[in-house]
Amino acid sequence: MATPDDRRYSDEHEWALFDGSIVTVGVTQFATDSLGDVVYVDLPQVGAEVVQFEKFGEIESVKAVSDLFSPIGGTIIEVNSDLMTMSEKVNEDPYSVGWLIKVEASDAESQLGTLMDAAAYDALTAEE
Amino acid sequence: MKVPFPGEIDRRLLNERSVSGRIGLQLQEIDVPEQPFPDAGLLRSVEARLPEVSQPEVVRYFTTLSAMNFSIDTNFYPLGSCTMKYNPKVNEEMAFLPGMAGIHPNQPDETVQGALQLIWELQQDLGEITGLPAVCLGPLAGAQGEYSGLMIAQAYFQDQGDFNRTIALMPDSAHGTNPASAAMAGLEVVTVPSDSAGNVDVEALRGLVDQRTCVFMLTLPSTLGLFEPNILEITNIVHEVGGLVYADGANLNALLGIVKLGDLGFDIAHSNLHKTFSTPHGGGGPGAGPVLVSETLASYLPTPVVDRNGDTYRFAAPDKTVGRVNGFHGSFGVLVRAYAYIRAVGAEGMREVSENAIINANYIRTALAEEFGIAADRVCMHECVLSPQAQKAKGVSALDISKRLIDYGIHPPTMYFPLIVPEALMVEPTETETKDTLDRFIAVMRQINKEIDSDPDLLHDAPHDTPNTRLDEANAARHPYLRWQPDDDLTAVD
Amino acid sequence: MPTNISPYIPNTQDDRELMLAAIGVSCIDDLVLDIPEAHRFPKLDIRPALSEFDLTAEIGALASRNAALGEYACFLGAGAYRHYIPSVVKSVVARGEFLTSYTPYQPEVAQGTLQVGFEFQSMICEITGMEVANAGMYDGPTAFAEGALMACRITRRQTVAVLDTVEPRNAQILDAYARHQGIEIVVIGHGDDLPDDAACLMIQSPNQFGVIEDMEALADKAHASGALSVASINPTSLGMFRTPGECDVDIVTAEGQALGVPLSFGGPYVGLFACKDIHKRQMPGRIIGRTTDTKGRVGYVLTLQTREQHIRRERATSNICTSTALIGLLMTTYLAVIGRAGFKKVAELCYHKAHYAAIEIDKLPGYSVKTDGPFFHEFMVECPKPPAEINRALIDSKIIGGHDMSDRSNNGMLICVTEVNTRAEIDALVYALSEIGAVR
């Protein structure tokens, strides 16, 4: 699927969809393609703090574990609990039903500026 | 592999076959006056739902299950780094002698002198073979041996007041247990890159060692089946900063009578008796992972070791022992088998084992390197690593090739290890295979290579005739179903 | 053609020459050029090869110098137990397809090993009353230590409280595993409070003195502190006694040797490990799960592998790789053969015989049975002389006496009675003890 241009991206293959200061976070198609079937996602609790570009959880396929790095800093206000029983949603559509967490960003505007747009992300993945 | 009888295999679990009232064993009757039971509150209120099947059903069940396995006794099993060599049957008989299998670990030393002598002699033999004379046969597997070795290294430094040695260096090709054991031992793991020839990058190593270096953990030959041409320089570099060098002995089958680890500058090693010394793998253990050290480190070995005083043998705790890593004295039944193997093979026989292991691996390498790509284009030791990247470019992975080998009755090689080789297939034939078997393996691999062009689905859908075709591992991990439940529907998985 | 030297190595001289030529070298030396010349081909100072005939004679001679339990009545326990092993068990484990196969990483050719492992896990859950179990660990004591490490990971606390009735050897092993991870071990008595930052309370039931602990009360105590409870149990005893699952214990470990595994001087044995379902992703060791294949048929695979060393490497739940699958097979076959009814009956036989023995020994002048709670098949006796002395004398009567516990209990001996001790043997023990006790 084409990289949605309504959101921003980090070089750790995460996306951040901004709605004012509420930011939804997920992993990109590139990430799920290289991971394979996602079998488990280890996410923090609602209320936990996340720091931009630092590890906040883990995503597992059958034969691999990858760290999740948050593209945004702030407080987690919602976690996609569907993934506990239906981790396949991340593969189905990583950009919608496969979302991971929603964060109340501590500084949405300046953080947005540190992330790349769809075109820049596509350029990055074309190289890898 | 076709299970050797026609028809569907009955995969029901024992509880699914159970019928109330059936028994598998006639137990003895009580011959003492019955004693009052404790209070009901202390007794279990729910019965353990164990099977209720007759004895013939038990035998047929397990025998039928066994027929679904590949094994050394039935198939060529070239699993790299596992050394799937023939497991001599006489070793089984020795391990089950009443005087060996029927002795209690807590019996007084004077009632088990034969067992203690065996352990002592095995300590000596392994010490001599590796050139690391102080040995503890206690660790129950390679990983436990590694952990013990890392504890020894730390104890040694701390005993000298050096509390700064906090880093374990290892190549990027290291087996997963190496960093796992290092982390368990509280050490920081630092990876040393390999160079383009597949060897440790000596200059990189030189740049990474310093006063914080506790150990450099090295598998020799490496996990690519290569001997380090710069081994003496490597051990020297580590010693110069005061660090210790640890040998992961998983690949010792290449070195018996060829070279001693002690001579190369190693200070500590573990050996996998279930690899090099022919004890059976048992479907995943038991093994034994003795830890072997130079005399300098002898007093730190785990407890217990066996000492000899004249004609008497006894258990003893090394003076500065790092402690006890397991319940009793080690996997004695495994030790008996390894002892029998070493006595049967003897001094010159050891070298014959490794020489033939090396010849067999190079024979396969020479035949298949061009068609399948080789991780390192030079003489290997007891195993070689193929890297079928050309095949991958055609859409066929190392996994597909492996699964297709099964259709030819051959167990796949080790896949995707070491991590630094793309599409790795690690082939270790061992010395107990005939040239005919190796020739057949080569022919089958070439045949499979042709199938990639003519009919690739043969590989993608392989294996075809096994009791199960490819299994849905993603589903198993997403919806773990880990035990029998009553009212099981055999076809539903959730 | 000269014959080969080794029956285990098929290559003849001709084979070698053909293969060396195919490789493109003239001799083996050309294949080991990377080995420093000064150290190449060392002479090994080990004994020469033995014929099979001589081998069996030599090892047979070693075996004959051991007092094998078939010739002696045995009352020794303390972590390893003598039980009757049915013939079916031995014949199943001799199957080469089980014995000489590898870890089931290729599930299509290892369904035998995998289905047995699934049965093994299921049976452990039934015996212990717990929700999930793994496919086995090295032995009971290391499984116990792994239980503590798991509790620390789950609670993110670094202190482990160990009840003082736990066998000290288990605490020693725990220390070997824990000390390098900054974990502190604190031994407490039944009346003590748990340290605030305790990750778990470690208990053993029956304890080192053979006494059954109140697992439920102890688990409650742990939970009240926000800690987990980790219990090491005797699996035979659960044929009659309350399961840790019924007591809300979080992690259960055990030594599985008593269930069909030869004593074999201490190993190989098998560690059992079970826990509550919510913690399963923190369990160490291999785990086998059921799934389906491309044709929809049921099959088994290793699962939740991302916990393990071959994937997670330094962040693995444990470094364990090779475990004890074959011993798990012994145990599974044993439980299949003795079955639901047998599992209860073996426990009851042990219980009745042990309690009979205790009553008779307690009657002897100079001997006093010291149990401060209910027991299963092991009990403490205060002897009139050092147990080591008594045991030496018992050997002359072809009896192996109980475990010497005098380091922690005055002239204490831990006597174990199982279903293989006949009444005649028990009576002979009682008689011998009275004779020995009477001698000044």
Side-chain angles (χ1 to χ4, degrees):
Chain A
M1 70 185 62
T3 310
D5 58 10
D6 60 352
R7 60 198 74 190
R8 312 289 281 193
Y9 298 84
S10 73
D11 56 14
E12 289 291 350
H13 309 290
E14 320 261 351
W15 54 261
L17 179 64
F18 287 78
D19 181 8
S21 67
I22 307 295
V23 187
T24 308
V25 172
V27 293
T28 64
Q29 175 94 37
F30 184 84
T32 58
D33 282 348
S34 44
L35 267 171
D37 288 323
V38 173
V39 303
Y40 185 71
V41 191
D42 189 12
L43 299 171
Q45 311 266 41
V46 169
E49 294 295 313
V50 289
V51 177
Q52 194 182 30
F53 302 136
E54 282 191 13
K55 177 181 165 179
F56 73 93
E58 287 177 348
I59 186 164
E60 294 181 17
S61 62
V62 174
K63 296 279 203 253
V65 184
S66 285
D67 290 335
L68 293 165
F69 297 94
S70 183
I72 200 80
T75 312
I76 297 182
I77 55 169
E78 214 183 317
V79 169
N80 188 353
S81 50
D82 279 354
L83 299 183
M84 281 304 296
T85 49
M86 286 179 287
S87 59
E88 51 266 44
K89 289 195 175 211
V90 180
N91 294 103
E92 258 170 51
D93 193 341
Y95 296 113
S96 64
V97 295
W99 67 274
L100 301 179
I101 56 174
K102 288 197 164 101
V103 178
E104 167 88 52
S106 48
D107 190 352
E109 214 174 293
S110 71
Q111 288 183 49
L112 190 150
T114 62
L115 301 170
M116 55 187 116
D117 63 13
Y121 181 69
D122 281 342
L124 175 77
T125 55
E127 277 167 43
E128 285 201 20
Chain B
M1 170 179 115
K2 281 195 165 65
V3 180
F5 25 79
E8 279 278 311
I9 305 167
D10 181 357
R11 297 300 300 273
R12 285 180 302 160
L13 296 169
L14 285 165
N15 274 1
E16 289 156 349
R17 302 163 190 245
S18 290
V19 173
S20 179
R22 288 187 183 157
I23 60 167
L25 187 74
Q26 191 164 7
L27 284 168
Q28 56 273 43
E29 286 310 310
I30 186 169
D31 59 356
V32 297
E34 276 197 31
Q35 308 299 312
F37 259 19
D39 287 334
L42 284 167
L43 301 178
R44 68 183 293 161
S45 53
V46 179
E47 229 188 354
R49 294 168 301 184
L50 292 173
E52 293 181 275
V53 287
S54 63
Q55 199 171 121
E57 291 174 271
V58 174
V59 172
R60 188 169 293 166
Y61 181 68
F62 285 100
T63 309
T64 313
L65 287 181
S66 78
M68 294 197 282
N69 274 2
F70 273 19
S71 63
I72 299 171
D73 276 7
T74 50
N75 306 80
F76 180 43
Y77 216 118
L79 256 189
S81 219
C82 299
T83 312
M84 303 298 286
K85 65 169 75 182
Y86 170 62
N87 307 139
K89 301 304 177 188
V90 66
N91 299 352
E92 296 304 305
E93 217 179 282
M94 296 298 97
F96 277 104
L97 287 172
M100 295 296 185
I103 46 179
H104 193 293
N106 289 330
Q107 279 178 228
D109 284 358
E110 56 266 27
T111 66
V112 287
Q113 284 294 297
L116 294 173
Q117 180 175 342
L118 186 147
I119 295 175
W120 185 86
E121 289 186 4
L122 185 58
Q123 285 171 187
Q124 302 300 109
D125 283 351
L126 289 173
E128 172 61 17
I129 289 169
T130 58
L132 291 168
V135 180
C136 175
L137 297 174
L140 301 172
Q144 217 185 42
E146 281 173 29
Y147 182 68
S148 305
L150 294 171
M151 284 208 290
I152 289 169
Q154 289 187 84
Y156 167 74
F157 288 120
Q158 286 172 12
D159 205 22
Q160 305 183 23
D162 185 351
F163 291 85
N164 222 16
R165 302 272 174 182
T166 54
I167 293 180
L169 288 158
M170 59 195 75
D172 48 13
S173 54
H175 187 263
T177 51
N178 290 176
S181 301
M184 267 178 98
L187 292 167
E188 187 192 330
V189 174
V190 171
T191 310
V192 181
S194 303
D195 63 20
S196 53
N199 298 128
V200 170
D201 184 333
V202 175
E203 287 320 302
L205 176 67
R206 204 188 299 275
L208 285 166
V209 297
D210 61 24
Q211 301 303 308
R212 293 167 305 158
T213 303
C214 179
V215 283
F216 177 54
M217 296 177 84
L218 185 66
T219 306
L220 192 73
S222 69
T223 55
L224 280 87
L226 306 172
F227 194 86
E228 293 287 340
N230 303 306
I231 186 62
L232 293 176
E233 202 184 342
I234 288 170
T235 55
N236 208 40
I237 287 171
V238 180
H239 288 149
E240 272 176 358
V241 297
L244 294 171
V245 193
Y246 180 96
D248 179 328
N251 289 335
L252 205 62
N253 208 46
L255 305 182
L256 305 170
I258 306 288
V259 71
K260 292 188 182 185
L261 294 171
D263 289 346
L264 298 173
F266 287 96
D267 305 290
I268 315 173
H270 81 266
S271 172
N272 305 71
L273 299 188
H274 47 292
K275 296 185 184 206
T276 318
F277 296 97
S278 86
T279 77
H281 283 84
V291 62
L292 311 100
V293 300
S294 60
E295 278 304 345
T296 320
L297 301 172
S299 52
Y300 303 99
L301 284 171
T303 188
V305 295
V306 171
D307 273 355
R308 183 176 75 168
N309 191 352
D311 278 334
T312 312
Y313 298 88
R314 58 178 193 100
F315 280 122
D319 289 335
K320 302 183 187 175
T321 180
V322 290
R324 171 177 277 287
V325 291
N326 53 63
F328 292 108
H329 338 298
S331 227
F332 182 71
V334 175
L335 302 182
V336 175
R337 292 169 170 91
Y339 177 85
Y341 179 73
I342 291 172
R343 299 294 322 261
V345 170
E348 274 107 49
M350 286 290 152
R351 178 170 158 176
E352 230 208 317
V353 166
S354 288
E355 285 189 355
N356 283 286
I358 292 169
I359 290 173
N360 287 359
N362 278 285
Y363 183 67
I364 289 179
R365 174 187 63 81
T366 311
L368 297 178
E370 203 180 308
E371 275 183 72
F372 286 91
I374 193 87
D377 193 9
R378 58 184 236 244
V379 167
C380 63
M381 294 211 82
H382 67 311
E383 65 192 9
C384 64
V385 182
L386 303 173
S387 183
Q389 295 180 78
Q391 287 77 359
K392 177 73 173 167
K394 294 184 191 174
V396 165
S397 65
L399 180 84
D400 294 322
I401 296 170
S402 294
K403 299 299 185 188
R404 184 61 181 150
L405 272 167
I406 292 174
D407 286 333
Y408 289 92
I410 297 172
H411 191 283
T414 301
M415 309 184 299
Y416 301 111
F417 181 76
L419 303 173
I420 53 170
V421 176
E423 301 302 306
L425 282 174
M426 191 194 297
V427 182
E428 181 186 356
T430 84
E431 75 284 2
T432 63
E433 298 295 335
T434 63
K435 183 172 170 297
D436 290 342
T437 301
L438 305 186
D439 287 334
R440 179 168 182 266
F441 174 69
I442 291 163
V444 164
M445 288 290 279
R446 288 178 175 156
Q447 174 65 18
I448 292 175
N449 205 22
K450 293 200 188 116
E451 287 171 358
I452 292 173
D453 292 320
S454 60
D455 190 357
D457 279 342
L458 276 176
L459 285 86
H460 294 307
D461 299 337
H464 296 92
D465 295 325
T466 41
N468 284 114
T469 51
R470 292 200 202 185
L471 289 146
D472 190 347
E473 297 190 31
N475 182 58
R478 282 178 176 146
H479 307 287
Y481 189 101
L482 309 176
R483 57 174 293 188
W484 165 82
Q485 318 263 18
D487 307 321
D488 266 351
D489 176 353
L490 205 60
T491 55
V493 177
D494 271 14
Chain C
M1 167 72 67
T3 57
N4 283 359
I5 301 172
S6 169
Y8 305 152
I9 301 176
N11 285 347
T12 61
Q13 196 48 39
D14 280 354
D15 289 330
R16 281 173 66 122
E17 278 164 27
L18 279 169
M19 290 202 278
L20 287 167
I23 294 166
V25 296
S26 53
C27 62
I28 181 69
D29 299 58
D30 293 336
L31 295 176
V32 294
L33 295 172
D34 280 334
I35 302 199
E37 205 174 343
H39 303 300
R40 225 182 277 162
F41 301 133
K43 185 176 181 309
L44 295 182
D45 188 16
I46 63 175
R47 287 158 292 189
L50 288 175
S51 68
E52 190 169 305
F53 175 75
D54 290 324
L55 179 71
T56 58
E58 290 237 2
I59 298 181
L62 288 174
S64 68
R65 287 174 50 224
N66 299 325
L69 295 182
E71 303 158 39
Y72 289 72
C74 173
F75 293 92
L76 189 50
Y81 301 95
R82 187 160 169 249
H83 291 281
Y84 178 71
I85 300 176
S87 307
V88 171
V89 172
K90 296 172 217 164
S91 74
V92 162
V93 83
R95 296 285 306 180
E97 298 92 326
F98 281 133
L99 185 68
T100 69
S101 64
Y102 189 67
T103 307
Y105 290 126
Q106 300 284 357
E108 302 89 341
V109 293
Q111 284 300 302
T113 299
L114 288 163
Q115 187 160 334
V116 168
F118 189 83
E119 293 274 22
F120 174 85
Q121 287 170 190
S122 305
M123 289 175 176
I124 293 170
C125 291
E126 287 300 320
I127 289 173
T128 60
M130 301 300 286
E131 290 173 325
V132 294
N134 72 14
M137 309 206 72
Y138 300 137
D139 65 7
T142 53
F144 197 44
E146 292 267 16
L149 298 180
M150 178 172 157
C152 291
R153 282 195 297 275
I154 291 169
T155 59
R156 296 179 210 256
R157 294 179 178 179
Q158 291 287 96
T159 304
V160 170
V162 181
L163 209 54
D164 60 8
T165 47
V166 169
E167 161 61 47
R169 183 173 282 192
N170 289 348
Q172 270 177 41
I173 294 161
L174 174 58
D175 176 66
Y177 274 79
R179 83 172 88 108
H180 292 285
Q181 301 198 28
I183 291 171
E184 201 202 330
I185 299 172
V186 174
V187 178
I188 65 170
H190 281 73
D192 297 336
D193 286 331
L194 262 73
D196 284 332
D197 57 342
C200 58
L201 175 61
M202 315 280 289
I203 60 189
Q204 178 185 321
S205 184
N207 65 28
Q208 59 169 312
F209 304 111
V211 173
I212 303 278
E213 300 275 7
D214 186 347
M215 279 194 287
E216 186 165 14
L218 291 164
D220 284 345
K221 184 175 172 140
H223 296 152
S225 275
L228 298 179
S229 57
V230 180
S232 166
I233 54 89
N234 176 308
T236 314
S237 73
L238 296 180
M240 54 187 283
F241 283 95
R242 198 140 177 257
T243 67
E246 288 172 271
C247 298
D248 202 25
V249 172
D250 302 287
I251 297 172
V252 175
T253 66
E255 174 50 67
Q257 175 274 326
L259 301 175
V261 182
L263 280 161
S264 198
F265 202 45
Y269 291 167
V270 57
L272 313 185
F273 198 107
C275 68
K276 291 185 176 172
D277 188 81
I278 39 162
H279 299 313
K280 63 177 178 281
R281 287 192 142 85
Q282 285 299 325
M283 262 208 297
R286 302 221 168 85
I287 299 178
I288 294 166
R290 172 186 279 191
T291 186
T292 48
D293 67 10
T294 57
K295 298 188 181 173
R297 298 174 296 195
V298 162
Y300 300 92
V301 289
L302 291 175
T303 191
L304 303 184
Q305 288 187 68
T306 45
R307 298 157 306 114
E308 297 186 68
Q309 51 75 28
H310 58 288
I311 290 170
R312 223 177 249 269
R313 297 172 71 88
E314 63 262 33
R315 297 184 301 176
T317 50
S318 167
N319 68 343
I320 191 168
C321 182
T322 292
S323 181
T324 47
L326 192 75
I327 312 305
L329 169 66
L330 279 166
M331 203 184 105
T332 307
T333 317
Y334 173 81
L335 290 172
V337 167
I338 66 164
R340 189 175 298 207
F343 184 62
K344 280 184 359 203
K345 189 154 182 198
V346 168
E348 288 167 8
L349 284 169
C350 292
Y351 179 88
H352 290 302
K353 290 176 187 248
H355 284 73
Y356 168 70
I359 288 170
E360 296 303 310
I361 292 172
D362 198 46
K363 290 177 188 165
L364 298 175
Y367 292 87
S368 166
V369 170
K370 297 231 168 296
T371 57
D372 54 3
F375 65 93
F376 171 53
H377 66 1
E378 287 188 285
F379 55 91
M380 286 291 290
V381 178
E382 186 174 356
C383 303
K385 315 180 158 172
E389 229 181 280
I390 296 183
N391 281 336
R392 264 194 293 279
L394 284 173
I395 294 273
D396 294 336
S397 303
K398 288 277 186 176
I399 297 173
I400 295 188
H403 192 55
D404 188 346
M405 302 277 277
S406 53
D407 59 347
R408 58 199 101 154
S409 166
N410 183 43
N411 281 348
M413 180 188 284
L414 183 71
I415 294 198
C416 175
V417 185
T418 71
E419 87 283 6
V420 304
N421 295 111
T422 61
R423 179 171 182 163
E425 283 180 357
I426 297 170
D427 291 341
L429 170 71
V430 172
Y431 179 74
L433 285 175
S434 77
E435 293 285 290
I436 295 165
V439 173
R440 298 229 115 266

